[in-house]
Amino acid sequence: MSRFLKAFKHRAEESEASSSAPPQWAPAPEVSHRWGKWNEAPEEEFDAALDFCKEYPLQPPRLLPSDAVDRINEVGCKAWSLDYPSSPRFVGQIISDSKGGPAVVTVQTRPECKDVCLLSNLPIIGGLYDIQGKEGIYYEILINRMDGIVAVGTACRPYPAWRLPGWNRMSAGFHLDDFRKFFEDGDGGRDYTDAITRIRPGDTVGCGYEFRTGSIFFTYNGIRLPPAFTGIYLPRSQQDVFAAIGVEGRCDFQVNFGGELFRWKEGNEWAWRVEGHVGRLTGRSADLEDELPSYQEASHCFLSYRHLPRRMPLNIPGILVPFQLIIYPRLALPSLIVNDIRQIDFRALKKAGYRGAVFDKDNCLTIPHRDTLVPELQESWKTCRETFGDENILIVSNSAGTYLDAGGIQSESVSHHLGVPVLCHKSLKPAYSCIADIRTYFSSLRSPVHGHELIVVGDRVFTDVILANRMRLQSKLPLPQSASETSESKEKSGTSSHHQELVTSDPALHGEGAQGPLSIWTTGVWKRESMLMRCLESGLVRAVQKYSTPAGGQSDYSRFIIKEQSKSESSKKFGMIERLLLRFRRS
């Protein structure tokens, strides 16, 4: 294998070795049963499976064909389905063909169907693909009828088709007839849980794998059960792992790889979805020859990588911002600077005439790469929704809803968790085409919201603040002037509390009614990322505040700030940006 492809393997191994205490395989503590609880497979099938595994070695991890990567980018998790087995033991049908990809895969078998293992068409754990920002992978099955056996789990190819998941090499399974778990266990398995006594129509069973611990776990009707096995499929870069579902007898169930909302709510987050992992290149094949790659190998790597979502997408509109700042430096000035949304008085904003709100997602409302609201913001977010109304609030993110969001899956998840719409836009903030999409959305509402009635809240200057101020320029409204402190915040700066409240001179707000969009910069960081860029943005705002010449007097924005916070609400530590602002101010 060439140095070109070896580099992918090195990156995968370095990623896995970064943990100070890598997970180790540990035998399950439960006693292994010698015989099955209800059923036993014939001994000749047991022996045939051993011979099969000796004759056919495991496949090394592979890169997906470019057409598979294209399909993942087009329809997201709907690209996953089940391969139709060639074995005559399977008697039934697999319904998975619909326009744009099925939301779920339906499996219906007849009473004469014998033990058979159905594997996913694509791996759910890719040895050569990246896991940065991912917690693991997850899928579910919904039982409509089970007059026989259904088993849910994972397996590596090739796997003997006549054996249920968990019975042979590199396979784990949870059998729903006796509620025993199996991993490479051809005997009677181990007891798993007392939480399930029987399977009824409408029950949902899920299977997940956690990258950090190498643990496989299962869920029942949305409740996560304890880890079944720990430290399996390690090192992860040595194999591809597929979803494996065993069936026998007359059964009817649906397999959901994420096309519909999971019953286990955490599984709906981007950190657990299969399409956010498989397709993000980081590994290599298993050969070790030191030679140049063939044309097929090299083109395969390039085509796969070309279509993958980037970890740090190139934001051309953001890169061009500094050139515009030469002419309009005050584009970088926010109208209001707060630590987080808990300091914003949404009711006062509504009373002042602001009827709509645009919010960033990462590090403003959610932890980066997560879709759920930061728990500390629950009350403030509830107040915001009650004040403006859900349809008058719009999430505009440079991840969810963009071309990086395959099939719009992440935008659906964010909208589900936050309860408000997410804008689907082709251009990244602060592009003018993105602004046009925002205006189009608010103008299409039953009661249209105009640009001057908006607030724009976000944690980045070069995207969120610039976007709001570009909208002001389009509306021919003055840009924010140099910022100053209220008398109250001046007093606070000399005390042990580091809380700063900055207000900006903006003569446009001296009159009655809203004169937005009002840009609100949140400087608190829920998870540290891009800290160098944040420091640069902070320094830029400081410089513009210091050297820009105000066109008029100051407007007091303190009426839009909730000044008194309880200790519990103020428990979040101030970020690096705020500490730097305070240090500059004291010097």
Side-chain angles (χ1 to χ4, degrees):
M1 176 56 62
S2 67
R3 294 185 180 91
F4 173 76
L5 294 179
K6 281 182 180 179
F8 295 133
K9 174 67 172 179
H10 294 158
R11 287 169 57 192
E13 291 175 345
E14 288 171 2
S15 176
E16 292 182 0
S18 61
S19 174
S20 58
Q24 299 291 329
W25 178 86
E30 300 85 2
V31 176
S32 178
H33 297 281
R34 180 68 181 89
W35 307 104
K37 189 173 183 179
W38 310 117
N39 302 286
E40 279 293 321
E43 188 172 350
E44 55 269 23
E45 292 183 4
F46 177 90
D47 295 334
L50 294 180
D51 294 338
F52 176 92
C53 294
K54 290 179 182 178
E55 184 176 355
Y56 300 101
L58 286 175
Q59 293 177 355
R62 299 177 178 179
L63 297 174
L64 296 182
S66 58
D67 60 338
V69 177
D70 288 339
R71 183 156 178 78
I72 293 173
N73 282 313
E74 179 183 357
V75 300
C77 60
K78 294 181 181 179
W80 273 259
S81 182
L82 295 176
D83 281 340
Y84 199 95
S86 58
S87 172
R89 300 170 64 92
F90 179 77
V91 183
Q93 59 180 344
I94 298 176
I95 306 171
S96 61
D97 52 341
S98 63
K99 188 175 181 180
V104 295
V105 181
T106 300
V107 179
Q108 297 172 336
T109 58
R110 296 171 59 182
E112 55 267 32
C113 179
K114 299 180 181 179
D115 290 350
V116 66
C117 184
L118 310 176
L119 298 180
S120 58
N121 60 331
L122 299 174
I124 57 174
I125 304 173
L128 302 184
Y129 292 96
D130 197 8
I131 62 171
Q132 181 168 347
K134 303 295 293 182
E135 296 286 341
I137 55 87
Y138 181 75
Y139 75 94
E140 285 182 347
I141 65 171
L142 169 64
I143 304 295
N144 297 319
R145 180 172 188 163
M146 193 180 84
D147 295 339
I149 300 173
V150 174
V152 56
T154 55
C156 297
R157 292 179 184 264
Y159 189 79
W162 61 93
R163 300 287 285 172
L164 297 182
W167 281 355
N168 288 92
R169 67 174 179 200
M170 299 297 282
S171 178
F174 177 37
H175 293 207
L176 304 185
D177 61 326
D178 55 13
F179 308 117
R180 289 181 179 176
K181 60 182 181 179
F182 296 78
F183 180 72
E184 298 183 341
D185 186 348
D187 295 326
R190 302 168 187 264
D191 294 328
Y192 180 40
T193 179
D194 296 327
I196 314 175
T197 57
R198 61 173 295 189
I199 295 293
R200 299 173 177 83
D203 283 348
T204 299
V205 178
C207 175
Y209 179 82
E210 188 176 56
F211 291 130
R212 182 177 57 85
T213 60
S215 299
I216 192 167
F217 63 91
F218 300 94
T219 66
Y220 175 66
N221 288 339
I223 299 174
R224 180 170 172 170
L225 303 175
F229 301 99
T230 301
I232 64 175
Y233 299 129
L234 297 175
R236 185 186 56 82
S237 58
Q238 292 186 357
Q239 65 273 312
D240 289 334
V241 183
F242 296 77
I245 299 170
V247 61
E248 182 268 340
R250 185 175 184 179
C251 298
D252 184 343
F253 56 88
Q254 294 176 329
V255 185
N256 179 17
F257 291 103
E260 292 185 353
L261 288 176
F262 291 126
R263 196 160 180 181
W264 181 52
K265 293 183 179 179
E266 193 172 344
N268 294 305
E269 295 186 10
W270 185 251
W272 286 97
R273 301 185 68 88
V274 290
E275 73 269 33
H277 156 54
V278 178
R280 297 172 59 191
L281 194 59
T282 188
R284 65 152 174 90
S285 185
D287 297 329
L288 297 174
E289 300 88 16
D290 189 19
E291 59 184 18
L292 289 174
S294 66
Y295 173 79
Q296 185 178 8
E297 289 175 318
S299 60
H300 193 175
C301 291
F302 171 74
L303 286 172
S304 298
Y305 184 76
R306 180 169 60 92
H307 290 90
L308 300 179
R310 300 300 196 268
R311 206 177 299 166
M312 292 289 291
L314 189 62
N315 187 350
I316 299 298
I319 292 175
L320 298 178
V321 162
F323 297 99
Q324 191 177 18
L325 290 178
I326 296 174
I327 304 173
Y328 301 107
R330 292 197 301 275
L331 273 176
L333 282 183
S335 301
L336 188 64
I337 304 177
V338 297
N339 190 44
D340 57 57
I341 69 168
R342 291 175 294 183
Q343 295 174 239
I344 304 174
D345 191 337
F346 296 108
R347 293 188 178 94
L349 286 164
K350 181 67 178 291
K351 189 175 181 180
Y354 294 96
R355 299 175 48 236
V358 174
F359 282 88
D360 184 35
K361 182 181 84 74
D362 293 329
N363 260 331
C364 180
L365 299 176
T366 72
I367 295 173
H369 310 298
R370 295 293 184 94
D371 301 341
T372 54
L373 186 70
V374 175
E376 290 87 340
L377 303 181
Q378 293 283 358
E379 284 300 318
S380 296
W381 185 240
K382 180 181 177 182
T383 301
C384 178
R385 292 176 61 185
E386 291 174 348
T387 302
F388 293 113
D390 290 346
E391 69 173 9
N392 284 13
I393 301 173
L394 186 65
I395 305 297
V396 182
S397 169
N398 273 353
S399 54
T402 67
Y403 68 90
L404 302 173
D405 183 6
I409 300 298
Q410 190 182 12
S411 62
E412 290 184 16
S413 177
V414 173
S415 180
H416 170 73
H417 284 97
L418 299 186
V420 299
V422 176
L423 180 70
C424 292
H425 54 106
K426 294 182 179 179
S427 300
L428 301 180
K429 296 182 295 184
Y432 285 101
S433 56
C434 180
I435 292 175
D437 291 338
I438 295 172
R439 291 187 185 274
T440 299
Y441 171 81
F442 282 104
S443 63
S444 67
L445 297 177
R446 288 173 295 178
S447 177
V449 178
H450 303 290
H452 67 275
E453 298 174 310
L454 290 175
I455 65 170
V456 179
V457 185
D459 68 310
R460 302 306 300 268
V461 171
F462 278 7
T463 54
D464 306 303
V465 174
I466 296 292
L467 180 139
N469 288 334
R470 279 181 171 179
M471 293 180 75
R472 292 180 70 91
L473 277 181
Q474 288 181 336
S475 301
K476 298 182 180 180
L477 291 171
L479 292 174
Q481 303 292 334
S482 58
S484 63
E485 296 174 293
T486 63
S487 59
E488 182 177 349
S489 63
K490 286 180 181 178
E491 293 174 5
K492 287 186 177 182
S493 64
T495 66
S496 58
S497 171
H498 299 317
H499 174 60
Q500 301 294 319
E501 296 166 359
L502 303 183
V503 295
T504 305
S505 170
D506 190 348
L509 285 186
H510 283 186
E512 295 295 326
Q515 296 290 331
L518 187 72
S519 58
I520 303 178
W521 182 29
T522 61
T523 58
V525 177
W526 296 102
K527 180 180 180 181
R528 294 168 64 91
E529 66 165 10
S530 305
M531 297 309 294
L532 177 60
M533 181 58 69
R534 292 176 186 275
C535 289
L536 292 175
E537 290 178 337
S538 175
L540 173 65
V541 171
R542 173 88 180 158
V544 176
Q545 288 172 346
K546 183 175 181 180
Y547 295 109
S548 65
T549 304
Q554 291 184 351
S555 290
D556 188 4
Y557 284 134
S558 59
R559 58 190 173 127
F560 298 145
I561 296 177
I562 299 176
K563 298 180 179 63
E564 293 185 4
Q565 284 182 292
S566 65
K567 253 185 177 180
S568 62
E569 288 180 331
S570 305
S571 60
K572 189 176 72 168
K573 293 183 179 179
F574 283 86
M576 182 183 295
I577 296 173
E578 289 184 316
R579 292 198 298 271
L580 285 173
L581 284 173
L582 182 64
R583 185 180 301 173
F584 286 139
R585 191 166 289 108
R586 286 179 173 176
S587 62

